Amino acid sequence: MSLLRPYKRFGDKKNSPYFEEYLTKIYDWRDSVGLVDMVQEMHSIVVEVDESDRHAYIEELMIMTPYHYVKSFENKTFIYSLLEIGEKNPGFVIRSRKNHSDSRFISMNMLSPAAMTKPYTRYIGEVFRVSDIDELQKTLSGAGVEFTDEDQVSGGEVKFIRTVPSQYTWNTIAYIQYPKGKRQYYLEQNPEHIEDEAWIEKLQGIKNLQNELGIGDLIQPIDHLATRVLHQDREHAILELLKTTSYHYWGSYDIADQNSSTNVTRNSNKFEEYRSPAKVFTAANTPHYVDNIVHLPSPTEAFVRNYGKRMHHIAYSVADNTPGQDVDNVDKVVDALKNHDVEFLLKVIGSSEEGLKQIFSRTSKFSFLITEYVQRFNGFQGFFTKKNVAFLTKAAGEDSVLKSEGRVGEGDLSD
Ligand SMILES: [Fe+2]
């Protein structure tokens, strides 16, 4: 069951006449082919890391997120590790290439000074569950969407296809179909990759620690996924996503003093949001080459120049307080993690009165992804507050500046 058009619009940033014209045309097209009914919830997300970082990255996720480790698999190209929260939340797949020379996205990473320091590390994209993958592929291929043959799976009861990386985001969208019932993953068709028993026990120990710290139940599933793109790619990135998924455009907010905008898309099927979290795009209001004329910070453009177009952060919800609580849950989470060597950018921003408190972690040295924690108070209905986003954008900008000053591309960028 999907939301009815017209989709309610939020935000204050104006789009171009091109955007508004083609937004309607894309909605018309996808309704005419039944795309929203074909593409269901977000099934999983996929992050590729260097094999030498895979264990450390999973350990980091064990303390910082609600994901728990399930199993690892391998085929001739990849080792896959599967992490889950529960049946109703996107799974988290971490894959590592067995042979670096197989890497197809090294060329994207080599274009950016920070990204080239970890050329085999990249957020790959989301996977969506679909009801009829053959029909979907026919429809999208007929509409000009290109698919890679690298990890197509067909023939068995699980079918899987992935688009080539977007020109605008360098992310991919993948689709999976499997029989009704328990969620399945295409990587499960591969033999199990046997992990060291001591490491599995270590992961369990970290999960136990998360619970002992009292934050295991407070950190909730993914709230949103935020990609950073170049100024000129903003509208195309949004429209392209709408053409290939069941998400709709929710609105854009101008964060003028950070020369940036936050652009939100949300699923159009009536799922609870934690089953299919919002996808956000951040882009500068003006391109880098006029920074000397605009005289504003330009953290988003700086990030893309350093890291390339890519996923910037994954945000997790934090449970709302119980009545009478004196320390907010998001502060509890951050304080506990800080005591276990997790670093954050600036401090928790926002307040319970404003409805929302948020914070960014430092960039993971294993995945190049930031973790955001977001607590909404008393059923706050808004997706975010402009003031908070301005602070967060500024904080992330300062992190990028630090990297620039450390001569990005020469030496250790781990922060
Ligand atoms: Fe965010």
Side-chain angles (χ1 to χ4, degrees), residues 223-226 262 280 282 312-315 358 360 372 374 383-384 389 392:
D223 183 271
H224 61 272
L225 300 145
T262 295
V280 173
T282 308
H312 176 261
H313 66 263
I314 299 178
Q358 290 162 280
F360 272 166
E372 178 187 329
V374 49
F383 189 71
F384 61 85
V389 173
L392 288 173

Side-chain angles (χ1 to χ4, degrees), residues 3-64:
L3 299 176
L4 293 177
R5 286 174 64 189
Y7 303 117
K8 199 169 171 199
R9 278 278 278 276
F10 296 82
D12 56 7
K13 183 173 175 64
K14 278 217 159 10
N15 297 304
S16 70
Y18 167 85
F19 179 86
E20 297 299 342
E21 179 187 346
Y22 280 89
L23 179 65
T24 303
K25 287 181 173 172
I26 286 173
Y27 285 151
D28 288 345
W29 171 78
R30 69 183 205 171
D31 287 349
S32 74
V33 297
L35 189 78
V36 177
D37 290 331
M38 266 192 255
V39 184
Q40 303 290 309
E41 79 279 5
M42 194 182 289
H43 166 275
S44 48
I45 59 171
V46 182
V47 176
E48 184 164 332
V49 297
D50 201 279
E51 175 56 14
S52 61
D53 289 332
R54 186 171 57 86
H55 279 192
Y57 184 43
I58 294 169
E59 289 163 25
E60 184 177 89
L61 293 171
M62 289 300 104
I63 191 80
M64 292 184 74

Side-chain angles (χ1 to χ4, degrees), residues 221-233:
I222 293 176
D223 183 271
H224 61 272
L225 300 145
T227 299
R228 292 202 159 182
V229 299
L230 287 172
H231 158 78
Q232 70 270 21
D233 292 336

Side-chain angles (χ1 to χ4, degrees), residues 188-205:
E188 287 171 311
Q189 303 192 342
N190 298 304
E192 187 175 345
H193 173 77
I194 305 298
E195 302 282 6
D196 181 27
E197 265 311 305
W199 181 66
I200 305 283
E201 275 173 34
K202 185 179 182 186
L203 295 185
Q204 192 51 53

Side-chain angles (χ1 to χ4, degrees), residues 193-265:
H193 173 77
I194 305 298
E195 302 282 6
D196 181 27
E197 265 311 305
W199 181 66
I200 305 283
E201 275 173 34
K202 185 179 182 186
L203 295 185
Q204 192 51 53
I206 300 172
K207 248 347 184 195
N208 293 343
L209 171 66
Q210 194 188 44
N211 285 324
E212 283 157 21
L213 293 170
I215 60 174
D217 291 337
L218 300 185
I219 308 173
Q220 298 195 328
I222 293 176
D223 183 271
H224 61 272
L225 300 145
T227 299
R228 292 202 159 182
V229 299
L230 287 172
H231 158 78
Q232 70 270 21
D233 292 336
R234 182 185 73 90
E235 294 184 339
H236 304 301
I238 298 167
L239 292 174
E240 185 187 47
L241 180 80
L242 307 190
K243 181 180 166 177
T244 49
T245 66
S246 51
Y247 277 40
H248 64 272
Y249 177 54
W250 187 76
S252 298
Y253 284 85
D254 190 9
I255 313 297
D257 65 348
Q258 291 299 312
N259 187 19
S260 185
S261 70
T262 295
N263 306 271
V264 182
T265 65

